[in-house]
Amino acid sequence: MCRIDKSGGEMGMVKGVEKVKGSIGIISSRSKMKMWMIRATTSVLLWTCIVQLTTIGEMWGPRVLKGWPSCFSHDSSAASALEESHFNNLPPRILPPKRVYKNNGYLMVSCNGGLNQMRAAICDMVAIARYLNVTLIVPELDKTSFWADPSEFQDIFDVDHFITSLRDEVRILKELPPRLKQRVELGMTHTMAPISWSDMSYYHKQILPLVQKYKVVHLNRTDARLANNHQPLDIQKLRCRVNFGALRFTSQIEELGKRVIKLLRKNGPFLVLHLRYEMDMLAFSGCTQGCNNEEVEELTRMRYAYPWWKEKIINSDLKRKDGLCPLTPEETALTLRALDIDPNMQIYIAAGEIYGGDKRMASLASAFPKLVRKETLLESSDLSFFQNHSSQMAALDYLVSLESDIFVPTYDGNMAKVVEGHRRFLGFKKTILLDRRHLVDLIDRYTSGSWSWEEFSDAVKQAHTERMGNPIKRLVIPDRPKEEDYFYSNPEECLQLSEDPLDSLSST
Protein backbone atom coordinates (compact mmCIF):
# COMPACT_ATOMS: atom_id res chain seq x y z
CA MET A 1 0.00 0.00 0.00
CA CYS A 2 1.34 3.26 -0.80
CA ARG A 3 0.90 6.04 1.48
CA ILE A 4 0.09 9.44 0.31
CA ASP A 5 1.44 12.44 2.08
CA LYS A 6 -1.54 14.79 2.18
CA SER A 7 0.45 17.87 2.83
CA GLY A 8 2.91 17.17 0.02
CA GLY A 9 0.10 16.20 -2.36
CA GLU A 10 -1.82 19.35 -1.67
CA MET A 11 1.29 21.45 -2.24
CA GLY A 12 1.94 19.70 -5.52
CA MET A 13 -1.62 20.21 -6.66
CA VAL A 14 -1.44 23.89 -5.77
CA LYS A 15 1.80 24.29 -7.71
CA GLY A 16 0.29 22.44 -10.67
CA VAL A 17 -2.77 24.66 -10.68
CA GLU A 18 -0.59 27.75 -10.51
CA LYS A 19 1.47 26.51 -13.48
CA VAL A 20 -1.69 25.88 -15.46
CA LYS A 21 -3.05 29.32 -14.55
CA GLY A 22 0.27 30.90 -15.52
CA SER A 23 0.23 29.11 -18.84
CA ILE A 24 -3.36 30.13 -19.46
CA GLY A 25 -2.46 33.75 -18.57
CA ILE A 26 0.43 33.75 -21.04
CA ILE A 27 -1.76 32.20 -23.71
CA SER A 28 -4.51 34.77 -22.97
CA SER A 29 -2.06 37.69 -23.22
CA ARG A 30 -0.68 36.37 -26.49
CA SER A 31 -4.22 35.91 -27.83
CA LYS A 32 -5.13 39.44 -26.86
CA MET A 33 -2.00 40.74 -28.56
CA LYS A 34 -2.79 38.80 -31.72
CA MET A 35 -6.37 40.05 -31.69
CA TRP A 36 -5.19 43.64 -31.23
CA MET A 37 -2.74 43.27 -34.12
CA ILE A 38 -5.44 41.76 -36.33
CA ARG A 39 -7.84 44.58 -35.49
CA ALA A 40 -5.19 47.26 -36.06
CA THR A 41 -4.16 45.75 -39.39
CA THR A 42 -7.79 45.43 -40.45
CA SER A 43 -8.47 49.06 -39.51
CA VAL A 44 -5.49 50.28 -41.53
CA LEU A 45 -6.56 48.22 -44.55
CA LEU A 46 -10.15 49.47 -44.30
CA TRP A 47 -9.03 53.09 -43.99
CA THR A 48 -6.75 52.70 -47.04
CA CYS A 49 -9.64 51.24 -49.03
CA ILE A 50 -11.93 54.11 -48.00
CA VAL A 51 -9.35 56.70 -49.09
CA GLN A 52 -8.83 54.96 -52.42
CA LEU A 53 -12.57 54.64 -53.04
CA THR A 54 -13.08 58.32 -52.19
CA THR A 55 -10.40 59.33 -54.68
CA ILE A 56 -11.89 57.13 -57.37
CA GLY A 57 -15.34 58.45 -56.51
CA GLU A 58 -14.23 62.04 -57.07
CA MET A 59 -13.02 61.13 -60.55
CA TRP A 60 -15.71 58.69 -61.64
CA GLY A 61 -18.65 59.52 -59.39
CA PRO A 62 -19.93 62.44 -61.43
CA ARG A 63 -19.82 60.31 -64.58
CA VAL A 64 -21.61 57.37 -62.98
CA LEU A 65 -24.18 59.46 -61.13
CA LYS A 66 -24.67 62.13 -63.79
CA GLY A 67 -28.38 62.64 -64.26
CA TRP A 68 -29.37 61.16 -60.88
CA PRO A 69 -31.47 63.45 -58.65
CA SER A 70 -29.60 64.94 -55.72
CA CYS A 71 -30.66 63.96 -52.22
CA PHE A 72 -29.12 67.11 -50.83
CA SER A 73 -30.97 69.78 -52.84
CA HIS A 74 -32.29 72.36 -50.39
CA ASP A 75 -34.05 74.53 -52.94
CA SER A 76 -35.01 72.72 -56.11
CA SER A 77 -37.34 75.52 -57.20
CA ALA A 78 -34.57 78.10 -57.03
CA ALA A 79 -32.27 75.82 -59.00
CA SER A 80 -34.85 75.22 -61.70
CA ALA A 81 -35.47 78.95 -61.97
CA LEU A 82 -31.85 79.39 -62.99
CA GLU A 83 -31.67 76.48 -65.44
CA GLU A 84 -31.25 78.83 -68.37
CA SER A 85 -28.67 80.91 -66.53
CA HIS A 86 -25.01 80.80 -67.53
CA PHE A 87 -24.24 79.66 -64.00
CA ASN A 88 -25.63 76.24 -64.94
CA ASN A 89 -23.77 76.10 -68.26
CA LEU A 90 -20.59 75.19 -66.38
CA PRO A 91 -19.33 71.63 -66.95
CA PRO A 92 -19.70 68.90 -64.29
CA ARG A 93 -17.01 68.94 -61.64
CA ILE A 94 -14.70 66.26 -63.08
CA LEU A 95 -11.05 66.60 -62.15
CA PRO A 96 -9.03 66.32 -65.37
CA PRO A 97 -5.85 64.22 -65.34
CA LYS A 98 -2.60 66.11 -64.88
CA ARG A 99 -0.65 66.83 -68.02
CA VAL A 100 2.83 65.36 -67.78
CA TYR A 101 5.56 67.41 -69.43
CA LYS A 102 9.16 68.45 -68.94
CA ASN A 103 8.99 71.73 -67.04
CA ASN A 104 11.17 74.40 -68.70
CA GLY A 105 10.87 76.85 -65.81
CA TYR A 106 8.45 79.21 -64.10
CA LEU A 107 6.44 82.17 -65.37
CA MET A 108 5.38 84.97 -63.03
CA VAL A 109 2.81 87.51 -64.23
CA SER A 110 1.80 90.97 -63.01
CA CYS A 111 -1.40 92.11 -64.73
CA ASN A 112 -2.20 95.76 -65.38
CA GLY A 113 -5.46 97.67 -65.83
CA GLY A 114 -9.04 97.05 -64.76
CA LEU A 115 -10.83 93.75 -64.22
CA ASN A 116 -11.59 92.88 -67.85
CA GLN A 117 -8.22 94.01 -69.16
CA MET A 118 -6.62 91.70 -66.58
CA ARG A 119 -9.08 88.91 -67.38
CA ALA A 120 -8.06 88.83 -71.03
CA ALA A 121 -4.39 89.02 -70.05
CA ILE A 122 -4.73 86.01 -67.72
CA CYS A 123 -6.21 83.98 -70.59
CA ASP A 124 -3.26 84.94 -72.80
CA MET A 125 -0.69 84.08 -70.13
CA VAL A 126 -2.18 80.61 -69.58
CA ALA A 127 -1.95 79.96 -73.33
CA ILE A 128 1.66 81.17 -73.41
CA ALA A 129 2.62 79.03 -70.40
CA ARG A 130 1.04 75.99 -72.06
CA TYR A 131 2.88 76.63 -75.32
CA LEU A 132 6.26 77.08 -73.58
CA ASN A 133 5.80 74.08 -71.24
CA VAL A 134 6.43 76.16 -68.13
CA THR A 135 4.78 76.32 -64.71
CA LEU A 136 2.54 79.36 -64.26
CA ILE A 137 2.34 81.10 -60.90
CA VAL A 138 -1.15 82.45 -60.09
CA PRO A 139 -1.15 85.96 -61.62
CA GLU A 140 -0.75 89.07 -59.50
CA LEU A 141 -3.48 91.68 -60.06
CA ASP A 142 -2.94 95.40 -60.55
CA LYS A 143 -3.06 97.42 -57.31
CA THR A 144 -1.42 100.63 -58.53
CA SER A 145 -3.74 101.76 -61.33
CA PHE A 146 -6.23 104.60 -61.05
CA TRP A 147 -8.67 102.49 -59.01
CA ALA A 148 -6.04 101.30 -56.48
CA ASP A 149 -7.96 98.09 -55.80
CA PRO A 150 -6.10 95.93 -53.23
CA SER A 151 -7.86 92.71 -54.33
CA GLU A 152 -5.79 89.59 -54.84
CA PHE A 153 -6.57 86.94 -57.47
CA GLN A 154 -8.36 84.76 -54.91
CA ASP A 155 -10.54 87.70 -53.81
CA ILE A 156 -12.15 87.84 -57.27
CA PHE A 157 -11.70 84.42 -58.85
CA ASP A 158 -12.08 80.88 -57.51
CA VAL A 159 -8.36 80.13 -57.43
CA ASP A 160 -8.68 76.40 -56.70
CA HIS A 161 -11.07 75.93 -59.62
CA PHE A 162 -8.70 77.91 -61.83
CA ILE A 163 -5.80 75.60 -60.98
CA THR A 164 -7.58 72.23 -61.09
CA SER A 165 -9.73 72.89 -64.16
CA LEU A 166 -6.62 73.57 -66.25
CA ARG A 167 -4.33 70.88 -64.85
CA ASP A 168 -4.56 68.83 -68.04
CA GLU A 169 -3.10 71.81 -69.93
CA VAL A 170 -0.61 73.54 -67.67
CA ARG A 171 0.77 73.27 -64.15
CA ILE A 172 -0.31 76.26 -62.03
CA LEU A 173 1.00 76.97 -58.53
CA LYS A 174 -0.15 79.54 -55.97
CA GLU A 175 3.45 80.51 -55.31
CA LEU A 176 6.99 79.57 -56.29
CA PRO A 177 8.76 76.67 -54.58
CA PRO A 178 10.72 77.96 -51.51
CA ARG A 179 14.15 77.78 -53.17
CA LEU A 180 13.07 79.80 -56.19
CA LYS A 181 10.98 82.15 -54.09
CA GLN A 182 14.11 83.05 -52.13
CA ARG A 183 15.99 83.74 -55.38
CA VAL A 184 13.23 86.08 -56.53
CA GLU A 185 13.27 87.91 -53.19
CA LEU A 186 17.01 88.44 -53.70
CA GLY A 187 16.34 89.90 -57.14
CA MET A 188 17.77 86.91 -59.01
CA THR A 189 15.14 86.82 -61.74
CA HIS A 190 14.46 88.38 -65.12
CA THR A 191 11.66 90.98 -65.36
CA MET A 192 10.37 92.40 -68.62
CA ALA A 193 7.33 93.53 -70.59
CA PRO A 194 6.80 91.44 -73.74
CA ILE A 195 6.15 93.12 -77.07
CA SER A 196 2.47 93.87 -77.74
CA TRP A 197 0.42 91.80 -80.22
CA SER A 198 3.15 89.15 -80.58
CA ASP A 199 2.46 85.69 -81.92
CA MET A 200 3.61 82.43 -80.36
CA SER A 201 6.85 82.33 -82.38
CA TYR A 202 8.02 85.43 -80.47
CA TYR A 203 7.47 83.68 -77.14
CA HIS A 204 9.20 80.54 -78.36
CA LYS A 205 12.24 82.35 -79.77
CA GLN A 206 12.61 85.21 -77.28
CA ILE A 207 10.95 84.30 -73.97
CA LEU A 208 11.61 80.55 -73.70
CA PRO A 209 15.44 80.91 -73.80
CA LEU A 210 15.18 83.45 -70.97
CA VAL A 211 13.07 81.05 -68.91
CA GLN A 212 15.60 78.26 -69.46
CA LYS A 213 18.44 80.57 -68.50
CA TYR A 214 16.96 82.24 -65.40
CA LYS A 215 14.47 79.50 -64.41
CA VAL A 216 12.01 82.28 -63.46
CA VAL A 217 10.82 85.04 -65.79
CA HIS A 218 8.52 87.79 -64.57
CA LEU A 219 6.27 89.50 -67.15
CA ASN A 220 5.20 92.81 -65.62
CA ARG A 221 2.81 94.09 -68.31
CA THR A 222 0.43 91.64 -69.85
CA ASP A 223 -2.33 93.56 -71.65
CA ALA A 224 -2.63 92.97 -75.41
CA ARG A 225 0.58 90.92 -75.52
CA LEU A 226 -0.77 88.07 -77.65
CA ALA A 227 -1.94 88.68 -81.21
CA ASN A 228 -5.64 88.43 -82.03
CA ASN A 229 -5.22 86.41 -85.19
CA HIS A 230 -3.08 83.75 -86.93
CA GLN A 231 -2.60 81.73 -83.73
CA PRO A 232 -2.78 77.91 -83.66
CA LEU A 233 -6.37 76.71 -83.26
CA ASP A 234 -5.62 74.88 -80.00
CA ILE A 235 -4.18 78.09 -78.54
CA GLN A 236 -7.28 80.09 -79.52
CA LYS A 237 -9.55 77.47 -77.98
CA LEU A 238 -7.46 77.40 -74.81
CA ARG A 239 -7.88 81.19 -74.46
CA CYS A 240 -11.63 80.61 -74.61
CA ARG A 241 -11.52 77.71 -72.19
CA VAL A 242 -9.78 79.86 -69.60
CA ASN A 243 -12.12 82.81 -70.14
CA PHE A 244 -15.41 80.94 -70.20
CA GLY A 245 -14.63 78.02 -67.90
CA ALA A 246 -11.61 78.42 -65.64
CA LEU A 247 -12.08 82.06 -64.61
CA ARG A 248 -15.03 81.56 -62.32
CA PHE A 249 -15.75 84.30 -59.79
CA THR A 250 -15.70 83.54 -56.06
CA SER A 251 -18.83 82.00 -54.57
CA GLN A 252 -19.55 85.24 -52.70
CA ILE A 253 -19.59 87.28 -55.94
CA GLU A 254 -21.52 84.59 -57.83
CA GLU A 255 -24.21 84.32 -55.15
CA LEU A 256 -24.70 88.08 -54.97
CA GLY A 257 -24.89 88.21 -58.76
CA LYS A 258 -27.61 85.55 -58.74
CA ARG A 259 -29.54 87.56 -56.17
CA VAL A 260 -29.44 90.74 -58.27
CA ILE A 261 -30.56 88.82 -61.37
CA LYS A 262 -33.40 87.20 -59.43
CA LEU A 263 -34.59 90.61 -58.19
CA LEU A 264 -34.55 91.96 -61.74
CA ARG A 265 -36.30 88.91 -63.20
CA LYS A 266 -39.18 89.35 -60.75
CA ASN A 267 -40.14 92.49 -62.65
CA GLY A 268 -39.73 91.11 -66.16
CA PRO A 269 -37.02 91.57 -68.82
CA PHE A 270 -34.18 94.00 -68.28
CA LEU A 271 -31.54 95.84 -70.29
CA VAL A 272 -28.03 96.44 -68.98
CA LEU A 273 -26.64 99.82 -69.95
CA HIS A 274 -22.87 100.07 -69.60
CA LEU A 275 -22.86 103.85 -69.28
CA ARG A 276 -19.21 104.91 -69.35
CA TYR A 277 -19.82 108.45 -68.18
CA GLU A 278 -17.62 108.37 -65.09
CA MET A 279 -15.17 111.10 -64.15
CA ASP A 280 -12.03 109.06 -64.86
CA MET A 281 -13.33 107.99 -68.29
CA LEU A 282 -14.08 111.55 -69.32
CA ALA A 283 -10.75 112.84 -68.01
CA PHE A 284 -8.81 110.08 -69.75
CA SER A 285 -10.62 110.47 -73.09
CA GLY A 286 -10.81 114.26 -72.96
CA CYS A 287 -14.50 114.10 -73.88
CA THR A 288 -16.44 117.02 -72.40
CA GLN A 289 -19.65 117.13 -74.46
CA GLY A 290 -22.34 118.86 -72.40
CA CYS A 291 -20.00 119.86 -69.56
CA ASN A 292 -19.79 123.44 -68.26
CA ASN A 293 -16.51 125.39 -68.02
CA GLU A 294 -15.87 124.39 -64.40
CA GLU A 295 -16.33 120.70 -65.22
CA VAL A 296 -14.05 120.97 -68.25
CA GLU A 297 -11.31 122.51 -66.07
CA GLU A 298 -11.76 119.83 -63.41
CA LEU A 299 -11.46 117.01 -65.96
CA THR A 300 -8.40 118.63 -67.54
CA ARG A 301 -6.64 118.94 -64.17
CA MET A 302 -7.34 115.28 -63.49
CA ARG A 303 -5.88 114.25 -66.87
CA TYR A 304 -2.65 116.13 -66.19
CA ALA A 305 -2.42 114.65 -62.68
CA TYR A 306 -1.80 111.14 -64.02
CA PRO A 307 1.49 110.92 -65.95
CA TRP A 308 0.66 107.55 -67.53
CA TRP A 309 -2.29 109.17 -69.36
CA LYS A 310 -0.02 110.32 -72.16
CA GLU A 311 -2.50 112.32 -74.27
CA LYS A 312 -2.93 115.73 -72.63
CA ILE A 313 -4.15 118.27 -75.19
CA ILE A 314 -7.40 116.92 -76.64
CA ASN A 315 -9.98 118.48 -78.96
CA SER A 316 -13.22 117.10 -77.54
CA ASP A 317 -15.39 118.07 -80.54
CA LEU A 318 -13.13 116.38 -83.09
CA LYS A 319 -12.80 113.29 -80.94
CA ARG A 320 -16.57 113.05 -80.58
CA LYS A 321 -17.12 113.35 -84.35
CA ASP A 322 -14.64 110.52 -84.87
CA GLY A 323 -16.76 108.34 -82.59
CA LEU A 324 -14.08 108.15 -79.89
CA CYS A 325 -16.16 109.53 -77.00
CA PRO A 326 -18.61 107.66 -74.77
CA LEU A 327 -22.20 108.74 -75.35
CA THR A 328 -23.58 111.21 -72.84
CA PRO A 329 -26.70 110.25 -70.82
CA GLU A 330 -28.73 112.62 -73.02
CA GLU A 331 -27.40 111.05 -76.24
CA THR A 332 -28.03 107.60 -74.79
CA ALA A 333 -31.66 108.43 -73.98
CA LEU A 334 -32.28 109.61 -77.56
CA THR A 335 -30.63 106.49 -79.00
CA LEU A 336 -32.62 104.02 -76.88
CA ARG A 337 -35.87 105.80 -77.71
CA ALA A 338 -35.00 105.77 -81.41
CA LEU A 339 -34.39 102.01 -81.21
CA ASP A 340 -37.91 101.59 -79.76
CA ILE A 341 -36.74 100.27 -76.40
CA ASP A 342 -39.86 99.96 -74.21
CA PRO A 343 -39.96 102.96 -71.81
CA ASN A 344 -41.28 100.63 -69.08
CA MET A 345 -38.33 98.25 -69.40
CA GLN A 346 -35.97 97.97 -66.47
CA ILE A 347 -32.59 99.48 -67.23
CA TYR A 348 -29.73 98.36 -65.01
CA ILE A 349 -26.85 100.86 -64.97
CA ALA A 350 -23.56 98.93 -64.98
CA ALA A 351 -21.10 101.68 -64.13
CA GLY A 352 -19.48 103.64 -61.36
CA GLU A 353 -20.64 107.05 -60.20
CA ILE A 354 -21.99 109.07 -63.14
CA TYR A 355 -20.26 112.42 -63.56
CA GLY A 356 -22.77 115.16 -62.78
CA GLY A 357 -24.98 112.86 -60.68
CA ASP A 358 -28.78 112.93 -60.82
CA LYS A 359 -28.80 116.25 -62.68
CA ARG A 360 -26.92 114.69 -65.60
CA MET A 361 -29.11 111.58 -65.51
CA ALA A 362 -32.39 113.53 -65.55
CA SER A 363 -33.18 113.14 -69.26
CA LEU A 364 -32.42 109.39 -69.22
CA ALA A 365 -34.50 108.90 -66.05
CA SER A 366 -37.38 110.83 -67.62
CA ALA A 367 -37.38 108.68 -70.74
CA PHE A 368 -36.86 105.40 -68.83
CA PRO A 369 -38.17 105.76 -65.26
CA LYS A 370 -37.27 102.20 -64.25
CA LEU A 371 -33.56 102.91 -63.86
CA VAL A 372 -31.88 100.66 -61.27
CA ARG A 373 -28.37 99.95 -60.04
CA LYS A 374 -26.90 97.41 -57.67
CA GLU A 375 -26.91 100.07 -54.96
CA THR A 376 -30.70 100.50 -55.29
CA LEU A 377 -31.49 96.78 -55.53
CA LEU A 378 -29.37 95.65 -52.59
CA GLU A 379 -28.98 96.73 -49.00
CA SER A 380 -25.86 98.71 -48.13
CA SER A 381 -24.80 95.81 -45.90
CA ASP A 382 -24.78 93.49 -48.95
CA LEU A 383 -22.22 95.71 -50.70
CA SER A 384 -20.15 96.74 -47.67
CA PHE A 385 -17.66 93.96 -48.30
CA PHE A 386 -17.09 95.24 -51.86
CA GLN A 387 -16.57 98.90 -51.00
CA ASN A 388 -13.23 100.27 -52.27
CA HIS A 389 -12.81 97.10 -54.33
CA SER A 390 -13.67 98.32 -57.83
CA SER A 391 -12.75 95.04 -59.53
CA GLN A 392 -15.12 93.08 -57.32
CA MET A 393 -17.91 95.59 -58.01
CA ALA A 394 -17.13 95.29 -61.73
CA ALA A 395 -17.34 91.49 -61.43
CA LEU A 396 -20.88 91.85 -60.08
CA ASP A 397 -21.86 94.08 -63.02
CA TYR A 398 -20.21 91.58 -65.38
CA LEU A 399 -22.46 88.74 -64.16
CA VAL A 400 -25.62 90.84 -64.48
CA SER A 401 -24.54 91.99 -67.95
CA LEU A 402 -24.17 88.39 -69.14
CA GLU A 403 -27.70 87.53 -68.05
CA SER A 404 -29.49 90.62 -69.40
CA ASP A 405 -32.02 90.41 -72.21
CA ILE A 406 -30.21 93.26 -73.97
CA PHE A 407 -26.72 94.63 -73.37
CA VAL A 408 -25.87 98.15 -74.57
CA PRO A 409 -22.38 99.60 -74.04
CA THR A 410 -21.97 103.32 -74.73
CA TYR A 411 -18.21 102.99 -75.20
CA ASP A 412 -16.04 100.13 -76.51
CA GLY A 413 -13.82 99.72 -73.47
CA ASN A 414 -12.50 96.44 -72.09
CA MET A 415 -15.68 95.43 -70.26
CA ALA A 416 -17.85 96.16 -73.30
CA LYS A 417 -15.60 94.04 -75.51
CA VAL A 418 -15.21 91.07 -73.16
CA VAL A 419 -18.91 90.97 -72.26
CA GLU A 420 -19.78 91.19 -75.98
CA GLY A 421 -17.62 88.14 -76.69
CA HIS A 422 -18.96 86.21 -73.71
CA ARG A 423 -22.57 86.88 -74.80
CA ARG A 424 -21.69 85.64 -78.29
CA PHE A 425 -20.32 82.49 -76.69
CA LEU A 426 -23.55 82.02 -74.70
CA GLY A 427 -25.61 81.88 -77.90
CA PHE A 428 -25.28 85.27 -79.58
CA LYS A 429 -27.37 87.09 -76.98
CA LYS A 430 -28.68 90.48 -78.10
CA THR A 431 -25.93 93.08 -77.75
CA ILE A 432 -26.52 96.45 -79.40
CA LEU A 433 -23.15 97.68 -80.62
CA LEU A 434 -23.60 101.41 -81.11
CA ASP A 435 -21.96 103.04 -84.12
CA ARG A 436 -20.98 106.20 -82.26
CA ARG A 437 -19.39 107.96 -85.21
CA HIS A 438 -22.59 107.62 -87.21
CA LEU A 439 -24.83 108.21 -84.19
CA VAL A 440 -23.44 111.60 -83.17
CA ASP A 441 -23.98 112.87 -86.71
CA LEU A 442 -27.61 111.66 -86.65
CA ILE A 443 -28.16 113.14 -83.18
CA ASP A 444 -26.76 116.51 -84.23
CA ARG A 445 -29.09 116.57 -87.25
CA TYR A 446 -32.10 115.85 -85.03
CA THR A 447 -31.23 118.26 -82.20
CA SER A 448 -30.50 121.05 -84.69
CA GLY A 449 -34.00 120.66 -86.12
CA SER A 450 -32.84 119.45 -89.53
CA TRP A 451 -34.58 116.10 -89.12
CA SER A 452 -37.95 115.04 -87.71
CA TRP A 453 -38.16 112.37 -85.00
CA GLU A 454 -39.38 109.79 -87.54
CA GLU A 455 -36.44 110.46 -89.85
CA PHE A 456 -33.99 110.25 -86.96
CA SER A 457 -35.49 107.05 -85.53
CA ASP A 458 -35.58 105.30 -88.90
CA ALA A 459 -31.94 106.20 -89.58
CA VAL A 460 -30.81 104.92 -86.17
CA LYS A 461 -32.63 101.60 -86.63
CA GLN A 462 -31.24 101.13 -90.13
CA ALA A 463 -27.69 101.85 -88.95
CA HIS A 464 -27.87 99.13 -86.28
CA THR A 465 -29.71 96.32 -88.11
CA GLU A 466 -26.51 94.26 -88.35
CA ARG A 467 -25.05 95.40 -85.03
CA MET A 468 -27.03 93.24 -82.60
CA GLY A 469 -24.39 90.68 -81.62
CA ASN A 470 -25.16 88.42 -84.57
CA PRO A 471 -22.49 86.07 -86.01
CA ILE A 472 -19.90 87.97 -88.06
CA LYS A 473 -16.31 87.46 -89.17
CA ARG A 474 -13.61 89.04 -87.03
CA LEU A 475 -11.95 91.92 -88.85
CA VAL A 476 -8.27 91.22 -89.59
CA ILE A 477 -5.94 94.07 -90.55
CA PRO A 478 -2.36 92.86 -91.20
CA ASP A 479 0.33 95.03 -89.56
CA ARG A 480 -2.31 97.11 -87.75
CA PRO A 481 -3.41 94.93 -84.81
CA LYS A 482 -4.76 97.85 -82.75
CA GLU A 483 -7.32 98.62 -85.44
CA GLU A 484 -8.56 95.09 -86.06
CA ASP A 485 -11.31 93.37 -84.07
CA TYR A 486 -10.33 92.22 -80.59
CA PHE A 487 -10.18 88.44 -80.13
CA TYR A 488 -12.18 88.53 -76.88
CA SER A 489 -15.03 90.54 -78.42
CA ASN A 490 -15.53 87.93 -81.13
CA PRO A 491 -13.72 84.64 -80.40
CA GLU A 492 -15.16 83.04 -83.53
CA GLU A 493 -12.86 79.97 -83.36
CA CYS A 494 -14.80 78.94 -80.22
CA LEU A 495 -18.34 79.83 -81.31
CA GLN A 496 -20.79 77.15 -82.30
CA LEU A 497 -24.55 77.29 -82.65
CA SER A 498 -25.06 74.52 -80.09
CA GLU A 499 -26.90 74.21 -76.79
CA ASP A 500 -23.68 73.90 -74.82
CA PRO A 501 -20.84 76.02 -76.24
CA LEU A 502 -18.40 74.53 -73.73
CA ASP A 503 -18.60 71.22 -75.62
CA SER A 504 -16.58 72.83 -78.41
CA LEU A 505 -13.68 73.48 -76.04
CA SER A 506 -13.41 70.03 -74.49
CA SER A 507 -11.90 68.53 -77.63
CA THR A 508 -8.76 70.62 -77.38
Side-chain angles (χ1 to χ4, degrees), residues 317-508:
D317 291 335
L318 287 177
K319 200 162 188 179
R320 175 176 176 268
K321 288 181 179 179
D322 286 337
L324 300 176
C325 287
L327 293 185
T328 67
E330 295 88 353
E331 292 169 338
T332 302
L334 285 173
T335 302
L336 294 181
R337 284 178 56 210
L339 289 168
D340 289 339
I341 300 298
D342 187 346
N344 293 313
M345 191 176 201
Q346 298 174 98
I347 296 185
Y348 176 94
I349 305 295
E353 185 177 351
I354 301 302
Y355 189 60
D358 292 340
K359 182 180 178 182
R360 201 64 200 267
M361 291 289 287
S363 60
L364 185 60
S366 176
F368 299 93
K370 292 185 178 179
L371 290 182
V372 295
R373 328 170 44 103
K374 51 187 172 291
E375 292 84 357
T376 59
L377 290 169
L378 299 170
E379 299 293 334
S380 57
S381 57
D382 294 324
L383 292 170
S384 59
F385 180 81
F386 299 93
Q387 295 300 323
N388 301 319
H389 294 81
S390 60
S391 291
Q392 295 181 50
M393 295 285 261
L396 190 58
D397 282 341
Y398 186 96
L399 290 173
V400 181
S401 298
L402 290 185
E403 292 300 304
S404 64
D405 297 279
I406 307 173
F407 176 65
V408 183
T410 62
Y411 186 73
D412 54 355
N414 288 294
M415 177 169 171
K417 291 176 180 177
V418 178
V419 170
E420 176 195 343
H422 204 149
R423 286 173 66 85
R424 288 179 184 275
F425 181 77
L426 294 174
F428 300 97
K429 293 177 134 188
K430 188 172 183 179
T431 302
I432 303 178
L433 304 169
L434 301 177
D435 184 347
R436 293 190 307 281
R437 184 173 183 175
H438 193 186
L439 260 177
V440 295
D441 178 56
L442 299 180
I443 289 170
D444 288 346
R445 292 188 188 191
Y446 170 69
T447 55
S448 68
S450 300
W451 275 10
S452 67
W453 175 258
E454 288 74 18
E455 290 174 316
F456 170 66
S457 181
D458 288 344
V460 171
K461 290 191 193 81
Q462 186 176 357
H464 293 88
T465 302
E466 299 299 323
R467 298 177 66 89
M468 298 288 179
N470 46 298
I472 56 172
K473 290 293 292 181
R474 193 169 63 239
L475 178 64
V476 179
I477 306 177
D479 302 322
R480 288 190 290 166
K482 289 184 179 181
E483 298 175 33
E484 64 185 10
D485 287 345
Y486 190 41
F487 173 80
Y488 292 101
S489 66
N490 186 15
E492 61 180 68
E493 295 90 336
C494 312
L495 305 182
Q496 289 188 2
L497 298 174
S498 65
E499 293 183 2
D500 188 1
L502 282 167
D503 288 343
S504 65
L505 306 184
S506 60
S507 62
T508 58

Side-chain angles (χ1 to χ4, degrees), residues 233-247:
L233 181 60
D234 57 342
I235 292 298
Q236 299 291 62
K237 287 198 170 186
L238 179 55
R239 295 166 92 176
C240 293
R241 180 178 169 184
V242 181
N243 191 25
F244 306 133
L247 284 178

Side-chain angles (χ1 to χ4, degrees), residues 236-345:
Q236 299 291 62
K237 287 198 170 186
L238 179 55
R239 295 166 92 176
C240 293
R241 180 178 169 184
V242 181
N243 191 25
F244 306 133
L247 284 178
R248 183 187 297 176
F249 292 123
T250 63
S251 58
Q252 186 173 17
I253 294 173
E254 292 269 347
E255 289 302 320
L256 197 57
K258 289 180 185 179
R259 198 193 312 175
V260 172
I261 294 162
K262 188 175 181 181
L263 290 169
L264 288 165
R265 286 276 176 236
K266 280 184 179 179
N267 298 312
F270 66 96
L271 177 152
V272 166
L273 181 63
H274 186 43
L275 189 62
R276 288 298 273 126
Y277 203 77
E278 301 112 330
M279 185 177 183
D280 64 290
M281 183 71 247
L282 299 178
F284 169 74
S285 64
C287 297
T288 57
Q289 174 72 13
C291 295
N292 59 39
N293 291 335
E294 290 182 4
E295 290 171 333
V296 172
E297 290 177 5
E298 182 180 37
L299 294 172
T300 302
R301 284 195 302 271
M302 184 178 187
R303 185 164 66 252
Y304 276 88
Y306 291 91
W308 53 85
W309 291 353
K310 296 178 181 179
E311 193 177 12
K312 302 300 182 184
I313 301 174
I314 300 173
N315 186 318
S316 178
D317 291 335
L318 287 177
K319 200 162 188 179
R320 175 176 176 268
K321 288 181 179 179
D322 286 337
L324 300 176
C325 287
L327 293 185
T328 67
E330 295 88 353
E331 292 169 338
T332 302
L334 285 173
T335 302
L336 294 181
R337 284 178 56 210
L339 289 168
D340 289 339
I341 300 298
D342 187 346
N344 293 313
M345 191 176 201

